[in-house]
Every structure is written in structure tokens, then in C-alpha cells.
Amino acid sequence: MRQSDHFLLVSHVNPDGDAIASLIAMALALEKWGKRTTMYNESPIPAVYRFLPAVDRIVRRIETPSAYDAVVILDCSNIERIGRLSADFGQFSLTVNIDHHLTNTGYGDFCHVDTAACSTAEIVYRMIQMIGIALDREIATAIYTGILTDTGSFRFANTNRTAFSICLDLMENGVDPYTVAQHVYGTYSIGRIKLLNLALDSIEITEDGKLSFMMLTREMLEETGTQPEDVDGMINYAKSIKDVKVAVLIQELFRSDTERDKNRFYVSLRSDGSVDVAALASSFGGGGHHRAAGFSAETSLADLKGGILAWIDNSERGICRN
Ligand code: AMP
Ligand code: MN
Ligand code: MN
């Protein structure tokens, strides 16, 4: 990275707080180091993250992917996670893979994957320290947002000592936790709250109480005037029920016009630790962490639910459902 001048920074489609924050923190830090940067994400930036510094500089199109000295890919366990641009992977001069997912495939010329890091933002912070770039309020705010959102506001199992110690340093560099929390969790549209109502109402649990399903259809989003980004975090309600070990959120993405029963779904998975949902997601072509993972699938709803239930029942790592 020292030897490169012009960087293309990329993070995953449908970005979460960590994907956006890592992108911004890395770009601002590299610029302080005298480098030129371009930030890329295929998807629109969710409204709740548009308060972040330099967020308007994130572009959704890249003309010449080979024009950069280095492409830094953040928070992506595999190259396909960056979306359409992955087709140009072969043209990248040099690829740097910076991530914290258990299922990272080790793509790229340089690979810095730390599954003990609570977020990719934590790794970016450590790299900034290592290089000796001074923090400022903008970089600190981005990193704080990544840590806050990926730890579920310091509630998930990835909430580690480092997270708190970094956040103290970030506060000393001008972060105001209340302001960040207010933007991220206190600027929802009324439609999002109405969607939450429908999502809560859709929750079903298996007879033994160990598995919960939440379902979001295209109609629910249309009815409430919401976007896929508004679904973020809703699965935590399905996971928060006593005795539930695995929560599954099935989100209908597209409905096939031709085949009546074959639709495209995005599946979010959360576990209490007794089931490795990263392995479950991987078996469906996705990935993630031990306790939080996801995948997309083109199938019928019945087959999808059946497939997930069968994996959990058959897996040696599965929960005892008797
Ligand atoms: P989500 O349920 O969308 O919040 O995703 C949970 C975790 O799984 C996040 O760390 C995602 O980056 C990861 N993840 C989701 N979908 C995929 C996928 N298709 N491939 C790899 N990782 C994924
Ligand atoms: Mn992410
Ligand atoms: Mn992350």
C-alpha cells in the first residue's frame, strides 16, 4: 500500500454500517497519507448512513478498473460480494482483501483477514495506527459507526475488549456517540416502523421453540413504501425470543414472471452459537460469521424452508431438536 498511489476502495453490495464506514475511513486515511482514492459500492447508500463524511463521493460505476494501482476490498468474504465489478477482478493490478468473516476465501494478492476483529472498521483502525496516520473527527466517526453497527450496539458476541478501547480513543478524537446513534437508529421513516410491524407479525416458531422464521414479501415493502435497506436489524427480534437458537429471515427479492413457484430470496441467519450459521449459509452458496450469516437463493419458499430445516436436523453441529 505504501508503494501504490491511486486506490480503488470497494465494499459489499447492500452495504451495512461496517461496509460503508470501512470504505470511508480507509479512503480518508489514505488521503491523509498523500494517496488518491476512489470509493465504490454497487448499491445505493442507506439513508441512515448518509450523514457520514465523504459519503457523497461513493460512486456506483467504475470506467476503467485496471487504472488503479491497487484495489482494496473491505468486509467481503468472497470476491462475488462486491457485485458486478467482480467480473473485472482479473483486470485489477493488485488486490488487497481486508475482512473479518470466518468464510473469507483468501482471494487477492494480499490478504488481511482477522476473524477475531469485531468489524472490518476495527482492522482499518489498526492499520491506520500501524501506518501512523493521525485520526481526525471524520475518520473516527466512520470507524465508530462501523463498530457500533457490527456489534449491534455492543450487544453481539463479537463485542470485545478492543472494541471498547478503540471507541474510547475515537471519542477522544471527537466522536459524539449520541449523534451517531441518533442518525443510525433515530431517523427511521414511518414506513420502516410499519414494515417492522408486518415483520413482527410474520414471526413463526417451530414446535420445540428453537427455530424462528420471519418473512418479508415484496408486497410488504410496497405497502409500506420501504426499501430492502429498511429490513436491516429486524431479524434481531426473531432472535430475541427466549429459547430460540436460530433465527431465519426470508426476504423475497424478485418474483419470477414465468415460473410460478420459483422466486429469488435473501436469507439472513442468526444463531446463539450452538449452530454454525456460517457453515449453513456456505452450504447454500453464501457465508458470514459463526453467529450471523446470509445467502441468496432462487427456489420456492417451501423448498427453501425445508432445506434450512433439513440442514439443521442433519448437521452434526445441529441443535438437538428433541
Ligand atoms: P445480514 O444477515 O445481511 O446482516 O448478513 C449477516 C452476515 O453474513 C454479514 O456479515 C454478511 O456480510 C454475511 N453475508 C450475507 N450474505 C452473504 C453472502 N451471500 N456471502 C457471504 N457472506 C454473506
Ligand atoms: Mn458487512
Ligand atoms: Mn463487517
Side-chain angles (χ1 to χ4, degrees):
M1 290 179 80
R2 197 181 299 277
Q3 285 160 8
S4 300
D5 169 52
H6 198 182
F7 288 84
L8 176 61
L9 308 172
V10 185
S11 59
H12 63 77
V13 295
N14 304 319
D16 49 26
D18 191 29
I20 300 161
S22 302
L23 201 61
I24 291 173
M26 184 59 101
L28 296 180
L30 287 174
E31 282 160 20
K32 280 188 118 179
W33 203 23
K35 312 289 186 183
R36 288 185 291 153
T37 68
T38 298
M39 292 184 275
Y40 170 88
N41 193 290
E42 174 177 300
S43 312
I45 304 303
V48 296
Y49 299 119
R50 279 187 219 134
F51 75 100
L52 284 168
V55 72
D56 292 330
R57 286 177 37 204
I58 302 173
V59 298
R60 295 178 67 183
R61 255 190 81 84
I62 291 294
E63 297 297 335
T64 324
S66 59
Y68 302 87
D69 303 326
V71 181
V72 181
I73 300 179
L74 298 145
D75 204 39
C76 294
S77 58
N78 57 63
I79 189 68
E80 289 73 30
R81 288 284 285 154
I82 69 175
R84 284 187 297 274
L85 190 64
S86 65
D88 298 326
F89 180 52
Q91 291 179 45
F92 299 167
S93 313
L94 190 105
T95 305
V96 184
N97 165 0
I98 299 173
D99 185 37
H100 68 129
H101 288 96
L102 193 64
T103 54
N104 193 288
T105 58
Y107 62 88
D109 302 295
F110 292 96
C111 189
H112 184 17
V113 177
D114 181 356
T115 57
C118 72
S119 56
T120 300
E122 175 188 326
I123 305 176
V124 172
Y125 170 90
R126 287 199 255 118
M127 289 180 75
I128 291 172
Q129 298 295 107
M130 225 183 284
I131 300 167
I133 303 162
L135 285 176
D136 57 32
R137 187 157 56 102
E138 297 198 322
I139 297 174
T141 299
I143 295 170
Y144 182 82
T145 303
I147 294 177
L148 178 74
T149 54
D150 251 30
T151 60
S153 307
F154 309 102
R155 287 178 301 140
F156 299 154
N158 59 344
T159 307
N160 53 18
R161 195 177 179 282
T162 325
F164 285 108
S165 110
I166 294 173
C167 287
L168 174 61
D169 188 29
L170 298 174
M171 276 191 79
E172 282 165 354
N173 281 280
V175 171
D176 177 16
Y178 176 73
T179 303
V180 175
Q182 195 53 30
H183 280 290
V184 177
Y185 303 117
T187 58
Y188 295 159
S189 64
I190 179 71
R192 183 168 175 149
I193 302 301
K194 300 280 183 194
L195 182 68
L196 174 62
N197 185 39
L198 299 177
L200 294 176
D201 208 32
S202 79
I203 295 177
E204 288 173 5
I205 61 173
T206 49
E207 229 169 283
D208 59 16
K210 292 178 180 171
L211 228 83
S212 64
F213 283 93
M214 181 185 258
M215 176 76 203
L216 282 167
T217 62
R218 301 259 304 158
E219 277 95 13
M220 292 177 183
L221 270 74
E222 277 160 27
E223 190 186 323
T224 53
T226 47
Q227 310 297 319
E229 68 185 58
D230 293 310
V231 176
D232 194 39
M234 290 191 184
I235 190 174
N236 296 322
Y237 288 98
K239 179 64 199 47
S240 65
I241 303 163
K242 187 173 181 296
D243 298 331
V244 163
K245 294 184 172 297
V246 178
V248 182
L249 166 61
I250 300 178
Q251 194 182 337
E252 183 185 55
L253 298 180
F254 296 107
R255 200 166 294 174
S256 166
D257 295 329
T258 45
E259 287 172 83
R260 249 193 96 248
D261 210 27
K262 205 172 178 198
N263 303 320
R264 188 154 187 82
F265 298 99
Y266 178 71
V267 179
S268 279
L269 300 161
R270 297 293 184 270
S271 140
D272 66 348
S274 59
V275 174
D276 180 4
V277 288
L280 170 50
S282 295
S283 79
F284 286 88
H289 310 283
H290 189 78
R291 294 166 187 255
F295 67 90
S296 16
E298 212 157 303
T299 177
S300 73
L301 184 58
D303 287 350
L304 182 60
K305 274 191 165 181
I308 295 167
L309 281 166
W311 190 94
I312 292 173
D313 281 337
N314 295 337
S315 163
E316 277 173 43
R317 291 157 300 232
I319 40 181
C320 175
R321 300 190 62 237
N322 305 318

